[in-house]
Amino acid sequence: MADFRSLRVASWSWCCFCDAWLLAVLTVPCLDLSVRHHQAAIPTKRMAHLALLSLRCDLQPGVLVRALGKAATGKHCLQCYSSTCSIFNKILSPQHRDHLERVLKLGAPHRLVQHSTACNRQAFVLAGNHRTAKDHAVVVEKCVNGDKSKLQALALPVWPTDFTPHIHVLPLAVLIKQHKKPRLLFDGSFCPGLDCHSVNNITDMMGKWIISYGVLMAAYLAWIWNLHILYPGKRIFQYFDDVANAFRHIVEHPDIVGAHASRMPATFLALAAVFGRVDSPVEYMVCVDACAALAEFLQTDLGKKLLDAKYEFESNLPWKEEDDDVPFATAGADNSNLGVFVSEGGRYKRCRAPHHPFVHDTCLADLRNFLPDAIHASIQALFMVLGYPAEERVDVLSLEKFHKVSCADVQVQLGIEVDTCRMELRLPLERTKG
């Protein structure tokens, strides 16, 4: 008892640990694992009960995540893959299918290839967060609360960090841009000393999936050009759907949740991929490329049999009023661009609209009578891969942006204004202002 009392007065962390250890024996943790869209701040009571549960899990992050069940482990991703794997076996390459199976069934990242020593962990704790996070502490807390309220992260008191065996603290930063929501960054490349190693350096990227962002715009513009070859003088409409929280739908494997922790204002355990980690774009690309392939399949004669009825929110799809005075540019065919008809079995068939995903946006372009079907296929594919809307998780589709974007011949795609009538590319007006 004397030793216990001496530990309790040794430091604040030990005092909290001893009190919580005694309380954990007598108190059954009570946790409401539900999405709280209107949560204004991290609830201290909820955080305290999570700390009690972590003590019952021997302060092991992986055990804690598993104890929380499907709300934290992303069980719906496994169910999504199980229900669609027979389709993916036919439409994806073996390499792509294997990556998708790993991401949805096991979680990300592919593999960590290093152990974090106590000295390495302490060096990161002492280094703290970046200056932007310290200068904008209120903004950081708001971002952390957002992830916590969406069940994309767990928040614990700060003191368990000193006693948790499998934890690595990443420094936080925050990106603040005008007219944009603040973006919380987890600096996976930061290294506090020559003898330390960052999380990005120990993440195995061998055999990673392809990131095709660099060729997307060229492929998208080529499709518009080929549409103009076949349909001269006809208006080509553009649209893009938006994935809410993009990377945050890629669930982490429970055993590596502790390797991507942070501190401020509490101990923050990310349950999903984060901005700043080297593998996040690749793992997300695995899923959105699968969405694109599935959406294109759903537009085929065979795939149409699997289509859902149009969703209720699609009935309010906004269209921009047509301007009859707009001049139309012409597009000529060549050896690489022959239009949008292909020969299949001796018959000519119109190509289905290709889907071009760039991070959270999927760019689509087609005539007015074809575009709604392409949009519906894109949305359904997103639901089939990452989960249909449900109360216990955040929706993958941003309905707020869905209703703000109009189907139009002039559309800002990936930061560039694309005019399909004049066949021009321009910088948006707001980008030309000083």
Side-chain angles (χ1 to χ4, degrees), residues 318-338:
W319 294 83
K320 185 180 177 182
E321 294 295 329
E322 298 184 6
D323 184 359
D324 296 332
D325 297 330
V326 174
F328 285 86
T330 57
D334 54 33
N335 292 334
S336 300
N337 301 281
L338 302 173

mmCIF file with all atom_site columns, all heavy atoms in Angstrom, residues 318-338:
data_model
loop_
_atom_site.group_PDB
_atom_site.id
_atom_site.type_symbol
_atom_site.label_atom_id
_atom_site.label_alt_id
_atom_site.label_comp_id
_atom_site.label_asym_id
_atom_site.label_entity_id
_atom_site.label_seq_id
_atom_site.pdbx_PDB_ins_code
_atom_site.Cartn_x
_atom_site.Cartn_y
_atom_site.Cartn_z
_atom_site.occupancy
_atom_site.B_iso_or_equiv
_atom_site.pdbx_formal_charge
_atom_site.auth_seq_id
_atom_site.auth_comp_id
_atom_site.auth_asym_id
_atom_site.auth_atom_id
_atom_site.pdbx_PDB_model_num
ATOM 1   N N   . PRO A 1 318 ? -30.114 19.250 -60.045 1.00 0.00 ? 318 PRO A N   1
ATOM 2   C CA  . PRO A 1 318 ? -30.250 20.567 -60.700 1.00 0.00 ? 318 PRO A CA  1
ATOM 3   C C   . PRO A 1 318 ? -29.589 20.601 -62.078 1.00 0.00 ? 318 PRO A C   1
ATOM 4   O O   . PRO A 1 318 ? -28.521 20.042 -62.277 1.00 0.00 ? 318 PRO A O   1
ATOM 5   C CB  . PRO A 1 318 ? -29.523 21.506 -59.719 1.00 0.00 ? 318 PRO A CB  1
ATOM 6   C CG  . PRO A 1 318 ? -28.528 20.633 -59.011 1.00 0.00 ? 318 PRO A CG  1
ATOM 7   C CD  . PRO A 1 318 ? -29.107 19.253 -58.966 1.00 0.00 ? 318 PRO A CD  1
ATOM 8   N N   . TRP A 1 319 ? -30.237 21.282 -63.019 1.00 0.00 ? 319 TRP A N   1
ATOM 9   C CA  . TRP A 1 319 ? -29.707 21.466 -64.376 1.00 0.00 ? 319 TRP A CA  1
ATOM 10  C C   . TRP A 1 319 ? -29.645 22.964 -64.679 1.00 0.00 ? 319 TRP A C   1
ATOM 11  O O   . TRP A 1 319 ? -30.575 23.705 -64.369 1.00 0.00 ? 319 TRP A O   1
ATOM 12  C CB  . TRP A 1 319 ? -30.606 20.781 -65.404 1.00 0.00 ? 319 TRP A CB  1
ATOM 13  C CG  . TRP A 1 319 ? -30.626 19.287 -65.282 1.00 0.00 ? 319 TRP A CG  1
ATOM 14  C CD1 . TRP A 1 319 ? -31.384 18.541 -64.430 1.00 0.00 ? 319 TRP A CD1 1
ATOM 15  C CD2 . TRP A 1 319 ? -29.835 18.364 -66.023 1.00 0.00 ? 319 TRP A CD2 1
ATOM 16  N NE1 . TRP A 1 319 ? -31.121 17.209 -64.592 1.00 0.00 ? 319 TRP A NE1 1
ATOM 17  C CE2 . TRP A 1 319 ? -30.167 17.071 -65.572 1.00 0.00 ? 319 TRP A CE2 1
ATOM 18  C CE3 . TRP A 1 319 ? -28.872 18.497 -67.029 1.00 0.00 ? 319 TRP A CE3 1
ATOM 19  C CZ2 . TRP A 1 319 ? -29.578 15.922 -66.086 1.00 0.00 ? 319 TRP A CZ2 1
ATOM 20  C CZ3 . TRP A 1 319 ? -28.287 17.346 -67.552 1.00 0.00 ? 319 TRP A CZ3 1
ATOM 21  C CH2 . TRP A 1 319 ? -28.627 16.073 -67.082 1.00 0.00 ? 319 TRP A CH2 1
ATOM 22  N N   . LYS A 1 320 ? -28.553 23.352 -65.299 1.00 0.00 ? 320 LYS A N   1
ATOM 23  C CA  . LYS A 1 320 ? -28.410 24.755 -65.682 1.00 0.00 ? 320 LYS A CA  1
ATOM 24  C C   . LYS A 1 320 ? -29.214 25.033 -66.946 1.00 0.00 ? 320 LYS A C   1
ATOM 25  O O   . LYS A 1 320 ? -29.224 24.222 -67.884 1.00 0.00 ? 320 LYS A O   1
ATOM 26  C CB  . LYS A 1 320 ? -26.937 25.088 -65.918 1.00 0.00 ? 320 LYS A CB  1
ATOM 27  C CG  . LYS A 1 320 ? -26.685 26.557 -66.196 1.00 0.00 ? 320 LYS A CG  1
ATOM 28  C CD  . LYS A 1 320 ? -25.213 26.833 -66.434 1.00 0.00 ? 320 LYS A CD  1
ATOM 29  C CE  . LYS A 1 320 ? -24.985 28.303 -66.779 1.00 0.00 ? 320 LYS A CE  1
ATOM 30  N NZ  . LYS A 1 320 ? -23.560 28.599 -67.060 1.00 0.00 ? 320 LYS A NZ  1
ATOM 31  N N   . GLU A 1 321 ? -29.878 26.182 -66.954 1.00 0.00 ? 321 GLU A N   1
ATOM 32  C CA  . GLU A 1 321 ? -30.673 26.569 -68.121 1.00 0.00 ? 321 GLU A CA  1
ATOM 33  C C   . GLU A 1 321 ? -29.776 26.719 -69.340 1.00 0.00 ? 321 GLU A C   1
ATOM 34  O O   . GLU A 1 321 ? -28.681 27.282 -69.280 1.00 0.00 ? 321 GLU A O   1
ATOM 35  C CB  . GLU A 1 321 ? -31.408 27.891 -67.853 1.00 0.00 ? 321 GLU A CB  1
ATOM 36  C CG  . GLU A 1 321 ? -32.468 27.800 -66.766 1.00 0.00 ? 321 GLU A CG  1
ATOM 37  C CD  . GLU A 1 321 ? -33.609 26.887 -67.151 1.00 0.00 ? 321 GLU A CD  1
ATOM 38  O OE1 . GLU A 1 321 ? -33.907 26.811 -68.370 1.00 0.00 ? 321 GLU A OE1 1
ATOM 39  O OE2 . GLU A 1 321 ? -34.185 26.245 -66.255 1.00 0.00 ? 321 GLU A OE2 1
ATOM 40  N N   . GLU A 1 322 ? -30.262 26.213 -70.483 1.00 0.00 ? 322 GLU A N   1
ATOM 41  C CA  . GLU A 1 322 ? -29.480 26.253 -71.707 1.00 0.00 ? 322 GLU A CA  1
ATOM 42  C C   . GLU A 1 322 ? -29.518 27.637 -72.343 1.00 0.00 ? 322 GLU A C   1
ATOM 43  O O   . GLU A 1 322 ? -30.541 28.316 -72.340 1.00 0.00 ? 322 GLU A O   1
ATOM 44  C CB  . GLU A 1 322 ? -30.001 25.206 -72.690 1.00 0.00 ? 322 GLU A CB  1
ATOM 45  C CG  . GLU A 1 322 ? -29.879 23.783 -72.167 1.00 0.00 ? 322 GLU A CG  1
ATOM 46  C CD  . GLU A 1 322 ? -30.313 22.765 -73.202 1.00 0.00 ? 322 GLU A CD  1
ATOM 47  O OE1 . GLU A 1 322 ? -30.586 23.179 -74.354 1.00 0.00 ? 322 GLU A OE1 1
ATOM 48  O OE2 . GLU A 1 322 ? -30.368 21.567 -72.876 1.00 0.00 ? 322 GLU A OE2 1
ATOM 49  N N   . ASP A 1 323 ? -28.349 28.019 -72.895 1.00 0.00 ? 323 ASP A N   1
ATOM 50  C CA  . ASP A 1 323 ? -28.232 29.300 -73.602 1.00 0.00 ? 323 ASP A CA  1
ATOM 51  C C   . ASP A 1 323 ? -28.118 29.004 -75.090 1.00 0.00 ? 323 ASP A C   1
ATOM 52  O O   . ASP A 1 323 ? -27.140 28.414 -75.552 1.00 0.00 ? 323 ASP A O   1
ATOM 53  C CB  . ASP A 1 323 ? -26.992 30.046 -73.091 1.00 0.00 ? 323 ASP A CB  1
ATOM 54  C CG  . ASP A 1 323 ? -26.856 31.428 -73.714 1.00 0.00 ? 323 ASP A CG  1
ATOM 55  O OD1 . ASP A 1 323 ? -27.712 31.781 -74.558 1.00 0.00 ? 323 ASP A OD1 1
ATOM 56  O OD2 . ASP A 1 323 ? -25.898 32.144 -73.365 1.00 0.00 ? 323 ASP A OD2 1
ATOM 57  N N   . ASP A 1 324 ? -29.132 29.419 -75.854 1.00 0.00 ? 324 ASP A N   1
ATOM 58  C CA  . ASP A 1 324 ? -29.159 29.099 -77.287 1.00 0.00 ? 324 ASP A CA  1
ATOM 59  C C   . ASP A 1 324 ? -28.118 29.861 -78.091 1.00 0.00 ? 324 ASP A C   1
ATOM 60  O O   . ASP A 1 324 ? -27.836 29.508 -79.246 1.00 0.00 ? 324 ASP A O   1
ATOM 61  C CB  . ASP A 1 324 ? -30.549 29.402 -77.856 1.00 0.00 ? 324 ASP A CB  1
ATOM 62  C CG  . ASP A 1 324 ? -31.631 28.516 -77.231 1.00 0.00 ? 324 ASP A CG  1
ATOM 63  O OD1 . ASP A 1 324 ? -31.282 27.394 -76.808 1.00 0.00 ? 324 ASP A OD1 1
ATOM 64  O OD2 . ASP A 1 324 ? -32.786 28.963 -77.157 1.00 0.00 ? 324 ASP A OD2 1
ATOM 65  N N   . ASP A 1 325 ? -27.555 30.932 -77.528 1.00 0.00 ? 325 ASP A N   1
ATOM 66  C CA  . ASP A 1 325 ? -26.616 31.766 -78.284 1.00 0.00 ? 325 ASP A CA  1
ATOM 67  C C   . ASP A 1 325 ? -25.165 31.299 -78.160 1.00 0.00 ? 325 ASP A C   1
ATOM 68  O O   . ASP A 1 325 ? -24.261 31.915 -78.722 1.00 0.00 ? 325 ASP A O   1
ATOM 69  C CB  . ASP A 1 325 ? -26.715 33.216 -77.802 1.00 0.00 ? 325 ASP A CB  1
ATOM 70  C CG  . ASP A 1 325 ? -28.092 33.818 -78.068 1.00 0.00 ? 325 ASP A CG  1
ATOM 71  O OD1 . ASP A 1 325 ? -28.722 33.386 -79.054 1.00 0.00 ? 325 ASP A OD1 1
ATOM 72  O OD2 . ASP A 1 325 ? -28.527 34.679 -77.292 1.00 0.00 ? 325 ASP A OD2 1
ATOM 73  N N   . VAL A 1 326 ? -24.913 30.230 -77.418 1.00 0.00 ? 326 VAL A N   1
ATOM 74  C CA  . VAL A 1 326 ? -23.535 29.771 -77.220 1.00 0.00 ? 326 VAL A CA  1
ATOM 75  C C   . VAL A 1 326 ? -23.018 29.126 -78.497 1.00 0.00 ? 326 VAL A C   1
ATOM 76  O O   . VAL A 1 326 ? -23.664 28.238 -79.059 1.00 0.00 ? 326 VAL A O   1
ATOM 77  C CB  . VAL A 1 326 ? -23.459 28.767 -76.047 1.00 0.00 ? 326 VAL A CB  1
ATOM 78  C CG1 . VAL A 1 326 ? -22.056 28.187 -75.934 1.00 0.00 ? 326 VAL A CG1 1
ATOM 79  C CG2 . VAL A 1 326 ? -23.858 29.449 -74.759 1.00 0.00 ? 326 VAL A CG2 1
ATOM 80  N N   . PRO A 1 327 ? -21.844 29.565 -79.005 1.00 0.00 ? 327 PRO A N   1
ATOM 81  C CA  . PRO A 1 327 ? -21.279 28.935 -80.202 1.00 0.00 ? 327 PRO A CA  1
ATOM 82  C C   . PRO A 1 327 ? -20.670 27.569 -79.872 1.00 0.00 ? 327 PRO A C   1
ATOM 83  O O   . PRO A 1 327 ? -20.169 27.353 -78.774 1.00 0.00 ? 327 PRO A O   1
ATOM 84  C CB  . PRO A 1 327 ? -20.192 29.928 -80.635 1.00 0.00 ? 327 PRO A CB  1
ATOM 85  C CG  . PRO A 1 327 ? -19.772 30.601 -79.349 1.00 0.00 ? 327 PRO A CG  1
ATOM 86  C CD  . PRO A 1 327 ? -21.015 30.677 -78.506 1.00 0.00 ? 327 PRO A CD  1
ATOM 87  N N   . PHE A 1 328 ? -20.726 26.648 -80.815 1.00 0.00 ? 328 PHE A N   1
ATOM 88  C CA  . PHE A 1 328 ? -20.177 25.315 -80.614 1.00 0.00 ? 328 PHE A CA  1
ATOM 89  C C   . PHE A 1 328 ? -18.897 25.155 -81.424 1.00 0.00 ? 328 PHE A C   1
ATOM 90  O O   . PHE A 1 328 ? -18.873 25.428 -82.628 1.00 0.00 ? 328 PHE A O   1
ATOM 91  C CB  . PHE A 1 328 ? -21.188 24.239 -81.045 1.00 0.00 ? 328 PHE A CB  1
ATOM 92  C CG  . PHE A 1 328 ? -22.313 24.047 -80.067 1.00 0.00 ? 328 PHE A CG  1
ATOM 93  C CD1 . PHE A 1 328 ? -23.453 24.843 -80.139 1.00 0.00 ? 328 PHE A CD1 1
ATOM 94  C CD2 . PHE A 1 328 ? -22.230 23.089 -79.073 1.00 0.00 ? 328 PHE A CD2 1
ATOM 95  C CE1 . PHE A 1 328 ? -24.492 24.678 -79.245 1.00 0.00 ? 328 PHE A CE1 1
ATOM 96  C CE2 . PHE A 1 328 ? -23.268 22.908 -78.173 1.00 0.00 ? 328 PHE A CE2 1
ATOM 97  C CZ  . PHE A 1 328 ? -24.399 23.703 -78.262 1.00 0.00 ? 328 PHE A CZ  1
ATOM 98  N N   . ALA A 1 329 ? -17.850 24.696 -80.766 1.00 0.00 ? 329 ALA A N   1
ATOM 99  C CA  . ALA A 1 329 ? -16.616 24.377 -81.474 1.00 0.00 ? 329 ALA A CA  1
ATOM 100 C C   . ALA A 1 329 ? -16.752 22.994 -82.106 1.00 0.00 ? 329 ALA A C   1
ATOM 101 O O   . ALA A 1 329 ? -17.615 22.199 -81.726 1.00 0.00 ? 329 ALA A O   1
ATOM 102 C CB  . ALA A 1 329 ? -15.437 24.401 -80.505 1.00 0.00 ? 329 ALA A CB  1
ATOM 103 N N   . THR A 1 330 ? -15.913 22.704 -83.074 1.00 0.00 ? 330 THR A N   1
ATOM 104 C CA  . THR A 1 330 ? -15.961 21.404 -83.751 1.00 0.00 ? 330 THR A CA  1
ATOM 105 C C   . THR A 1 330 ? -14.774 20.557 -83.319 1.00 0.00 ? 330 THR A C   1
ATOM 106 O O   . THR A 1 330 ? -13.723 21.070 -82.929 1.00 0.00 ? 330 THR A O   1
ATOM 107 C CB  . THR A 1 330 ? -15.939 21.580 -85.276 1.00 0.00 ? 330 THR A CB  1
ATOM 108 O OG1 . THR A 1 330 ? -14.758 22.322 -85.643 1.00 0.00 ? 330 THR A OG1 1
ATOM 109 C CG2 . THR A 1 330 ? -17.181 22.319 -85.745 1.00 0.00 ? 330 THR A CG2 1
ATOM 110 N N   . ALA A 1 331 ? -14.943 19.248 -83.384 1.00 0.00 ? 331 ALA A N   1
ATOM 111 C CA  . ALA A 1 331 ? -13.880 18.302 -83.031 1.00 0.00 ? 331 ALA A CA  1
ATOM 112 C C   . ALA A 1 331 ? -13.692 17.341 -84.193 1.00 0.00 ? 331 ALA A C   1
ATOM 113 O O   . ALA A 1 331 ? -14.666 16.804 -84.735 1.00 0.00 ? 331 ALA A O   1
ATOM 114 C CB  . ALA A 1 331 ? -14.243 17.536 -81.757 1.00 0.00 ? 331 ALA A CB  1
ATOM 115 N N   . GLY A 1 332 ? -12.459 17.145 -84.586 1.00 0.00 ? 332 GLY A N   1
ATOM 116 C CA  . GLY A 1 332 ? -12.154 16.260 -85.696 1.00 0.00 ? 332 GLY A CA  1
ATOM 117 C C   . GLY A 1 332 ? -11.620 14.917 -85.235 1.00 0.00 ? 332 GLY A C   1
ATOM 118 O O   . GLY A 1 332 ? -10.955 14.814 -84.200 1.00 0.00 ? 332 GLY A O   1
ATOM 119 N N   . ALA A 1 333 ? -11.921 13.885 -86.001 1.00 0.00 ? 333 ALA A N   1
ATOM 120 C CA  . ALA A 1 333 ? -11.451 12.541 -85.669 1.00 0.00 ? 333 ALA A CA  1
ATOM 121 C C   . ALA A 1 333 ? -10.028 12.337 -86.166 1.00 0.00 ? 333 ALA A C   1
ATOM 122 O O   . ALA A 1 333 ? -9.585  12.975 -87.120 1.00 0.00 ? 333 ALA A O   1
ATOM 123 C CB  . ALA A 1 333 ? -12.379 11.505 -86.287 1.00 0.00 ? 333 ALA A CB  1
ATOM 124 N N   . ASP A 1 334 ? -9.297  11.451 -85.495 1.00 0.00 ? 334 ASP A N   1
ATOM 125 C CA  . ASP A 1 334 ? -7.959  11.054 -85.925 1.00 0.00 ? 334 ASP A CA  1
ATOM 126 C C   . ASP A 1 334 ? -7.759  9.599  -85.517 1.00 0.00 ? 334 ASP A C   1
ATOM 127 O O   . ASP A 1 334 ? -8.699  8.922  -85.097 1.00 0.00 ? 334 ASP A O   1
ATOM 128 C CB  . ASP A 1 334 ? -6.886  11.963 -85.315 1.00 0.00 ? 334 ASP A CB  1
ATOM 129 C CG  . ASP A 1 334 ? -6.962  12.047 -83.803 1.00 0.00 ? 334 ASP A CG  1
ATOM 130 O OD1 . ASP A 1 334 ? -7.346  11.036 -83.162 1.00 0.00 ? 334 ASP A OD1 1
ATOM 131 O OD2 . ASP A 1 334 ? -6.637  13.103 -83.232 1.00 0.00 ? 334 ASP A OD2 1
ATOM 132 N N   . ASN A 1 335 ? -6.537  9.101  -85.640 1.00 0.00 ? 335 ASN A N   1
ATOM 133 C CA  . ASN A 1 335 ? -6.280  7.685  -85.344 1.00 0.00 ? 335 ASN A CA  1
ATOM 134 C C   . ASN A 1 335 ? -6.530  7.333  -83.881 1.00 0.00 ? 335 ASN A C   1
ATOM 135 O O   . ASN A 1 335 ? -6.860  6.190  -83.559 1.00 0.00 ? 335 ASN A O   1
ATOM 136 C CB  . ASN A 1 335 ? -4.834  7.327  -85.711 1.00 0.00 ? 335 ASN A CB  1
ATOM 137 C CG  . ASN A 1 335 ? -4.597  7.366  -87.200 1.00 0.00 ? 335 ASN A CG  1
ATOM 138 O OD1 . ASN A 1 335 ? -5.537  7.185  -87.982 1.00 0.00 ? 335 ASN A OD1 1
ATOM 139 N ND2 . ASN A 1 335 ? -3.364  7.605  -87.615 1.00 0.00 ? 335 ASN A ND2 1
ATOM 140 N N   . SER A 1 336 ? -6.392  8.318  -82.990 1.00 0.00 ? 336 SER A N   1
ATOM 141 C CA  . SER A 1 336 ? -6.577  8.057  -81.555 1.00 0.00 ? 336 SER A CA  1
ATOM 142 C C   . SER A 1 336 ? -7.978  8.396  -81.080 1.00 0.00 ? 336 SER A C   1
ATOM 143 O O   . SER A 1 336 ? -8.397  7.922  -80.018 1.00 0.00 ? 336 SER A O   1
ATOM 144 C CB  . SER A 1 336 ? -5.555  8.871  -80.743 1.00 0.00 ? 336 SER A CB  1
ATOM 145 O OG  . SER A 1 336 ? -4.237  8.523  -81.093 1.00 0.00 ? 336 SER A OG  1
ATOM 146 N N   . ASN A 1 337 ? -8.689  9.225  -81.811 1.00 0.00 ? 337 ASN A N   1
ATOM 147 C CA  . ASN A 1 337 ? -10.027 9.665  -81.402 1.00 0.00 ? 337 ASN A CA  1
ATOM 148 C C   . ASN A 1 337 ? -10.996 9.420  -82.547 1.00 0.00 ? 337 ASN A C   1
ATOM 149 O O   . ASN A 1 337 ? -11.008 10.157 -83.531 1.00 0.00 ? 337 ASN A O   1
ATOM 150 C CB  . ASN A 1 337 ? -10.008 11.155 -81.029 1.00 0.00 ? 337 ASN A CB  1
ATOM 151 C CG  . ASN A 1 337 ? -9.038  11.441 -79.890 1.00 0.00 ? 337 ASN A CG  1
ATOM 152 O OD1 . ASN A 1 337 ? -9.350  11.210 -78.730 1.00 0.00 ? 337 ASN A OD1 1
ATOM 153 N ND2 . ASN A 1 337 ? -7.864  11.957 -80.236 1.00 0.00 ? 337 ASN A ND2 1
ATOM 154 N N   . LEU A 1 338 ? -11.817 8.384  -82.391 1.00 0.00 ? 338 LEU A N   1
ATOM 155 C CA  . LEU A 1 338 ? -12.711 7.957  -83.458 1.00 0.00 ? 338 LEU A CA  1
ATOM 156 C C   . LEU A 1 338 ? -14.179 8.134  -83.091 1.00 0.00 ? 338 LEU A C   1
ATOM 157 O O   . LEU A 1 338 ? -15.055 7.676  -83.821 1.00 0.00 ? 338 LEU A O   1
ATOM 158 C CB  . LEU A 1 338 ? -12.453 6.482  -83.801 1.00 0.00 ? 338 LEU A CB  1
ATOM 159 C CG  . LEU A 1 338 ? -11.031 6.144  -84.241 1.00 0.00 ? 338 LEU A CG  1
ATOM 160 C CD1 . LEU A 1 338 ? -10.862 4.637  -84.391 1.00 0.00 ? 338 LEU A CD1 1
ATOM 161 C CD2 . LEU A 1 338 ? -10.700 6.851  -85.545 1.00 0.00 ? 338 LEU A CD2 1
#
